[in-house]
Short mmCIF file of all heavy atoms in Angstrom, two decimals:
data_model
loop_
_atom_site.label_atom_id
_atom_site.label_comp_id
_atom_site.label_asym_id
_atom_site.label_seq_id
_atom_site.Cartn_x
_atom_site.Cartn_y
_atom_site.Cartn_z
N MET A 58 -6.95 66.98 32.61
CA MET A 58 -6.74 67.94 33.68
C MET A 58 -7.36 69.27 33.28
O MET A 58 -7.27 69.68 32.12
CB MET A 58 -5.25 68.15 33.94
CG MET A 58 -4.49 66.88 34.30
SD MET A 58 -5.09 66.06 35.77
CE MET A 58 -4.86 67.30 36.99
N SER A 59 -7.98 69.94 34.22
CA SER A 59 -8.52 71.27 33.99
C SER A 59 -7.65 72.27 34.74
O SER A 59 -7.38 72.08 35.92
CB SER A 59 -9.96 71.33 34.49
OG SER A 59 -10.49 72.63 34.31
N GLN A 60 -7.20 73.30 34.06
CA GLN A 60 -6.33 74.29 34.67
C GLN A 60 -6.96 75.67 34.49
O GLN A 60 -7.49 75.99 33.43
CB GLN A 60 -4.94 74.30 34.00
CG GLN A 60 -4.23 72.98 34.02
CD GLN A 60 -3.66 72.60 35.36
OE1 GLN A 60 -3.21 71.50 35.53
NE2 GLN A 60 -3.66 73.48 36.33
N GLU A 61 -6.88 76.50 35.51
CA GLU A 61 -7.34 77.87 35.42
C GLU A 61 -6.22 78.76 35.95
O GLU A 61 -5.68 78.50 37.02
CB GLU A 61 -8.61 78.07 36.25
CG GLU A 61 -9.21 79.44 36.09
CD GLU A 61 -10.57 79.56 36.75
OE1 GLU A 61 -11.32 78.57 36.79
OE2 GLU A 61 -10.86 80.67 37.25
N VAL A 62 -5.86 79.77 35.17
CA VAL A 62 -4.76 80.65 35.55
C VAL A 62 -5.18 82.11 35.36
O VAL A 62 -6.11 82.42 34.62
CB VAL A 62 -3.49 80.38 34.70
CG1 VAL A 62 -2.97 78.97 34.96
CG2 VAL A 62 -3.75 80.59 33.23
N ASN A 63 -4.49 82.99 36.05
CA ASN A 63 -4.67 84.43 35.88
C ASN A 63 -3.43 84.94 35.16
O ASN A 63 -2.39 85.20 35.78
CB ASN A 63 -4.84 85.12 37.23
CG ASN A 63 -5.14 86.60 37.10
OD1 ASN A 63 -4.65 87.27 36.20
ND2 ASN A 63 -5.95 87.11 38.01
N ILE A 64 -3.51 85.04 33.85
CA ILE A 64 -2.36 85.38 33.02
C ILE A 64 -1.79 86.74 33.40
O ILE A 64 -0.57 86.91 33.49
CB ILE A 64 -2.74 85.35 31.53
CG1 ILE A 64 -3.16 83.94 31.12
CG2 ILE A 64 -1.58 85.83 30.67
CD1 ILE A 64 -3.80 83.86 29.76
N ILE A 65 -2.64 87.71 33.64
CA ILE A 65 -2.16 89.06 33.94
C ILE A 65 -1.40 89.08 35.27
O ILE A 65 -0.29 89.62 35.36
CB ILE A 65 -3.33 90.06 33.95
CG1 ILE A 65 -3.87 90.18 32.52
CG2 ILE A 65 -2.89 91.41 34.48
CD1 ILE A 65 -5.14 90.97 32.39
N GLU A 66 -1.96 88.46 36.29
CA GLU A 66 -1.28 88.42 37.59
C GLU A 66 0.01 87.60 37.52
O GLU A 66 1.04 87.99 38.08
CB GLU A 66 -2.21 87.85 38.66
CG GLU A 66 -1.65 87.93 40.06
CD GLU A 66 -1.31 89.36 40.50
OE1 GLU A 66 -2.02 90.31 40.11
OE2 GLU A 66 -0.31 89.52 41.23
N ASP A 67 -0.02 86.48 36.81
CA ASP A 67 1.20 85.67 36.66
C ASP A 67 2.28 86.43 35.91
O ASP A 67 3.46 86.34 36.24
CB ASP A 67 0.88 84.36 35.94
CG ASP A 67 0.09 83.40 36.81
OD1 ASP A 67 0.06 83.59 38.05
OD2 ASP A 67 -0.49 82.45 36.25
N TYR A 68 1.89 87.18 34.88
CA TYR A 68 2.86 87.99 34.14
C TYR A 68 3.50 89.03 35.06
O TYR A 68 4.71 89.22 35.04
CB TYR A 68 2.19 88.68 32.95
CG TYR A 68 3.18 89.34 32.02
CD1 TYR A 68 3.64 88.67 30.89
CD2 TYR A 68 3.66 90.63 32.26
CE1 TYR A 68 4.55 89.27 30.03
CE2 TYR A 68 4.56 91.23 31.42
CZ TYR A 68 5.01 90.56 30.30
OH TYR A 68 5.92 91.14 29.46
N ARG A 69 2.69 89.68 35.87
CA ARG A 69 3.23 90.67 36.81
C ARG A 69 4.22 90.04 37.78
O ARG A 69 5.26 90.61 38.08
CB ARG A 69 2.09 91.35 37.58
CG ARG A 69 1.30 92.33 36.76
CD ARG A 69 0.21 92.98 37.58
NE ARG A 69 -0.55 93.91 36.76
CZ ARG A 69 -1.86 93.99 36.74
NH1 ARG A 69 -2.60 93.22 37.52
NH2 ARG A 69 -2.47 94.86 35.96
N LYS A 70 3.90 88.86 38.29
CA LYS A 70 4.81 88.17 39.20
C LYS A 70 6.11 87.77 38.50
O LYS A 70 7.18 87.87 39.06
CB LYS A 70 4.14 86.92 39.77
CG LYS A 70 3.05 87.20 40.77
CD LYS A 70 2.41 85.90 41.22
CE LYS A 70 1.19 86.15 42.09
NZ LYS A 70 0.49 84.88 42.41
N ALA A 71 6.00 87.32 37.26
CA ALA A 71 7.16 86.83 36.53
C ALA A 71 8.08 87.94 36.04
O ALA A 71 9.30 87.82 36.10
CB ALA A 71 6.71 85.98 35.34
N PHE A 72 7.48 89.05 35.57
CA PHE A 72 8.28 90.10 34.94
C PHE A 72 8.30 91.42 35.71
O PHE A 72 9.02 92.34 35.35
CB PHE A 72 7.80 90.35 33.51
CG PHE A 72 8.04 89.18 32.60
CD1 PHE A 72 7.01 88.32 32.28
CD2 PHE A 72 9.29 88.94 32.08
CE1 PHE A 72 7.21 87.23 31.45
CE2 PHE A 72 9.52 87.86 31.25
CZ PHE A 72 8.48 87.00 30.93
N GLY A 73 7.48 91.54 36.76
CA GLY A 73 7.48 92.74 37.57
C GLY A 73 6.83 93.94 36.93
O GLY A 73 7.08 95.07 37.34
N LYS A 74 6.01 93.72 35.92
CA LYS A 74 5.30 94.83 35.27
C LYS A 74 4.03 94.32 34.60
O LYS A 74 3.82 93.11 34.48
CB LYS A 74 6.19 95.54 34.26
CG LYS A 74 6.76 94.65 33.18
CD LYS A 74 7.72 95.44 32.32
CE LYS A 74 8.47 94.52 31.38
NZ LYS A 74 9.47 95.23 30.61
N THR A 75 3.21 95.23 34.17
CA THR A 75 1.95 94.89 33.50
C THR A 75 2.25 94.35 32.11
O THR A 75 3.13 94.86 31.42
CB THR A 75 1.06 96.16 33.40
OG1 THR A 75 0.82 96.64 34.72
CG2 THR A 75 -0.25 95.85 32.71
N PRO A 76 1.54 93.32 31.69
CA PRO A 76 1.80 92.74 30.37
C PRO A 76 1.37 93.69 29.25
O PRO A 76 0.58 94.61 29.47
CB PRO A 76 0.95 91.47 30.36
CG PRO A 76 -0.12 91.71 31.36
CD PRO A 76 0.48 92.61 32.40
N PRO A 77 1.87 93.45 28.04
CA PRO A 77 1.44 94.27 26.90
C PRO A 77 -0.07 94.12 26.68
O PRO A 77 -0.68 93.13 27.07
CB PRO A 77 2.21 93.69 25.71
CG PRO A 77 3.13 92.67 26.25
CD PRO A 77 2.81 92.42 27.68
N SER A 78 -0.67 95.10 26.04
CA SER A 78 -2.12 95.08 25.83
C SER A 78 -2.55 94.07 24.78
O SER A 78 -3.71 93.67 24.73
CB SER A 78 -2.62 96.47 25.45
OG SER A 78 -1.99 96.90 24.27
N VAL A 79 -1.64 93.62 23.94
CA VAL A 79 -1.94 92.63 22.91
C VAL A 79 -1.00 91.44 23.11
O VAL A 79 0.19 91.62 23.31
CB VAL A 79 -1.75 93.22 21.49
CG1 VAL A 79 -1.98 92.16 20.44
CG2 VAL A 79 -2.68 94.41 21.27
N ALA A 80 -1.56 90.25 23.04
CA ALA A 80 -0.75 89.04 23.24
C ALA A 80 -1.26 87.93 22.34
O ALA A 80 -2.36 88.01 21.80
CB ALA A 80 -0.80 88.61 24.70
N LYS A 81 -0.47 86.89 22.20
CA LYS A 81 -0.85 85.71 21.43
C LYS A 81 -0.76 84.50 22.34
O LYS A 81 0.02 84.48 23.29
CB LYS A 81 0.09 85.52 20.24
CG LYS A 81 0.01 86.66 19.25
CD LYS A 81 0.99 86.47 18.12
CE LYS A 81 0.92 87.66 17.18
NZ LYS A 81 1.89 87.56 16.09
N ILE A 82 -1.57 83.50 22.04
CA ILE A 82 -1.54 82.25 22.79
C ILE A 82 -1.07 81.15 21.85
O ILE A 82 -1.53 81.04 20.72
CB ILE A 82 -2.94 81.90 23.34
CG1 ILE A 82 -3.36 82.93 24.38
CG2 ILE A 82 -2.95 80.48 23.92
CD1 ILE A 82 -4.74 82.70 24.93
N ALA A 83 -0.14 80.35 22.34
CA ALA A 83 0.35 79.20 21.58
C ALA A 83 0.22 77.97 22.44
O ALA A 83 0.48 78.01 23.65
CB ALA A 83 1.81 79.41 21.18
N ILE A 84 -0.19 76.87 21.86
CA ILE A 84 -0.25 75.58 22.55
C ILE A 84 0.85 74.72 21.93
O ILE A 84 0.85 74.47 20.72
CB ILE A 84 -1.62 74.89 22.35
CG1 ILE A 84 -2.77 75.83 22.72
CG2 ILE A 84 -1.67 73.58 23.10
CD1 ILE A 84 -2.78 76.27 24.16
N MET A 85 1.78 74.29 22.76
CA MET A 85 2.91 73.53 22.24
C MET A 85 3.16 72.30 23.10
O MET A 85 2.80 72.27 24.26
CB MET A 85 4.16 74.41 22.21
CG MET A 85 4.00 75.64 21.34
SD MET A 85 5.47 76.65 21.22
CE MET A 85 5.59 77.30 22.87
N ASN A 86 3.82 71.35 22.52
CA ASN A 86 4.22 70.13 23.20
C ASN A 86 5.69 69.93 22.90
O ASN A 86 6.09 69.87 21.75
CB ASN A 86 3.37 68.98 22.68
CG ASN A 86 3.47 67.76 23.53
OD1 ASN A 86 4.13 67.76 24.55
ND2 ASN A 86 2.82 66.71 23.11
N ASP A 87 6.53 69.84 23.93
CA ASP A 87 7.96 69.77 23.72
C ASP A 87 8.59 68.88 24.79
O ASP A 87 8.45 69.13 25.97
CB ASP A 87 8.54 71.19 23.80
CG ASP A 87 10.05 71.21 23.71
OD1 ASP A 87 10.65 70.24 23.22
OD2 ASP A 87 10.65 72.22 24.12
N SER A 88 9.27 67.84 24.35
CA SER A 88 9.96 66.98 25.31
C SER A 88 11.34 66.57 24.81
O SER A 88 11.98 65.72 25.40
CB SER A 88 9.11 65.74 25.60
OG SER A 88 8.91 65.00 24.41
N ASP A 89 11.81 67.19 23.74
CA ASP A 89 13.08 66.76 23.17
C ASP A 89 14.28 66.98 24.08
O ASP A 89 15.22 66.19 24.06
CB ASP A 89 13.31 67.40 21.80
CG ASP A 89 13.33 68.92 21.85
OD1 ASP A 89 12.65 69.49 22.72
OD2 ASP A 89 13.99 69.53 21.00
N ASN A 90 14.26 68.01 24.92
CA ASN A 90 15.41 68.25 25.81
C ASN A 90 15.52 67.21 26.91
O ASN A 90 16.59 67.02 27.48
CB ASN A 90 15.33 69.64 26.43
CG ASN A 90 15.59 70.73 25.42
OD1 ASN A 90 15.85 70.45 24.26
ND2 ASN A 90 15.50 71.95 25.84
N THR A 91 14.42 66.55 27.24
CA THR A 91 14.44 65.56 28.31
C THR A 91 14.66 64.14 27.77
O THR A 91 14.84 63.21 28.53
CB THR A 91 13.13 65.57 29.10
OG1 THR A 91 12.04 65.23 28.23
CG2 THR A 91 12.89 66.93 29.74
N GLY A 92 14.62 63.99 26.45
CA GLY A 92 14.79 62.67 25.85
C GLY A 92 13.56 61.80 26.01
O GLY A 92 13.62 60.59 25.81
N GLU A 93 12.44 62.39 26.36
CA GLU A 93 11.20 61.65 26.55
C GLU A 93 10.26 61.93 25.38
O GLU A 93 10.58 62.70 24.48
CB GLU A 93 10.55 62.08 27.86
CG GLU A 93 11.41 61.80 29.08
CD GLU A 93 10.83 62.33 30.37
OE1 GLU A 93 9.63 62.64 30.40
OE2 GLU A 93 11.58 62.44 31.34
N ALA A 94 9.11 61.31 25.39
CA ALA A 94 8.09 61.55 24.37
C ALA A 94 6.83 62.01 25.08
O ALA A 94 6.59 61.66 26.24
CB ALA A 94 7.82 60.27 23.59
N SER A 95 6.02 62.79 24.38
CA SER A 95 4.80 63.27 24.99
C SER A 95 3.73 63.51 23.93
O SER A 95 4.03 63.82 22.79
CB SER A 95 5.05 64.55 25.79
OG SER A 95 5.60 65.54 24.96
N VAL A 96 2.49 63.35 24.37
CA VAL A 96 1.33 63.61 23.53
C VAL A 96 0.36 64.41 24.38
O VAL A 96 0.14 64.10 25.54
CB VAL A 96 0.64 62.30 23.07
CG1 VAL A 96 -0.62 62.61 22.29
CG2 VAL A 96 1.60 61.47 22.24
N SER A 97 -0.19 65.46 23.82
CA SER A 97 -1.15 66.29 24.56
C SER A 97 -2.39 66.50 23.72
O SER A 97 -2.32 66.59 22.50
CB SER A 97 -0.55 67.65 24.89
OG SER A 97 0.58 67.51 25.70
N TYR A 98 -3.52 66.61 24.39
CA TYR A 98 -4.78 66.91 23.73
C TYR A 98 -5.38 68.13 24.43
O TYR A 98 -5.34 68.23 25.65
CB TYR A 98 -5.76 65.74 23.84
CG TYR A 98 -5.23 64.48 23.20
CD1 TYR A 98 -4.58 63.51 23.96
CD2 TYR A 98 -5.37 64.26 21.84
CE1 TYR A 98 -4.09 62.36 23.39
CE2 TYR A 98 -4.87 63.11 21.25
CZ TYR A 98 -4.24 62.17 22.02
OH TYR A 98 -3.75 61.03 21.45
N VAL A 99 -5.92 69.04 23.65
CA VAL A 99 -6.55 70.23 24.20
C VAL A 99 -8.02 70.17 23.82
O VAL A 99 -8.36 70.00 22.65
CB VAL A 99 -5.90 71.51 23.65
CG1 VAL A 99 -6.63 72.74 24.16
CG2 VAL A 99 -4.44 71.56 24.03
N ASP A 100 -8.88 70.31 24.82
CA ASP A 100 -10.31 70.22 24.56
C ASP A 100 -10.94 71.58 24.38
O ASP A 100 -11.69 71.81 23.46
CB ASP A 100 -10.99 69.47 25.72
CG ASP A 100 -12.47 69.29 25.50
OD1 ASP A 100 -12.88 68.98 24.36
OD2 ASP A 100 -13.23 69.46 26.47
N TYR A 101 -10.60 72.54 25.26
CA TYR A 101 -11.31 73.82 25.24
C TYR A 101 -10.45 74.87 25.92
O TYR A 101 -9.89 74.63 26.98
CB TYR A 101 -12.64 73.67 25.96
CG TYR A 101 -13.48 74.92 25.97
CD1 TYR A 101 -14.17 75.33 24.83
CD2 TYR A 101 -13.59 75.68 27.11
CE1 TYR A 101 -14.94 76.48 24.84
CE2 TYR A 101 -14.38 76.82 27.12
CZ TYR A 101 -15.05 77.21 26.00
OH TYR A 101 -15.81 78.34 26.00
#
Side-chain angles (χ1 to χ4, degrees):
M58 302 301 299
S59 178
Q60 303 285 171
E61 186 172 327
V62 296
N63 185 325
I64 297 169
I65 294 172
E66 187 59 35
D67 288 343
Y68 189 95
R69 286 181 181 134
K70 288 177 187 174
F72 294 101
K74 57 185 170 184
T75 301
S78 59
V79 176
K81 296 178 182 178
I82 294 178
I84 308 298
M85 300 183 291
N86 193 3
D87 175 20
S88 61
D89 59 331
N90 289 359
T91 62
E93 299 175 17
S95 57
V96 176
S97 299
Y98 300 95
V99 176
D100 182 41
Y101 182 75

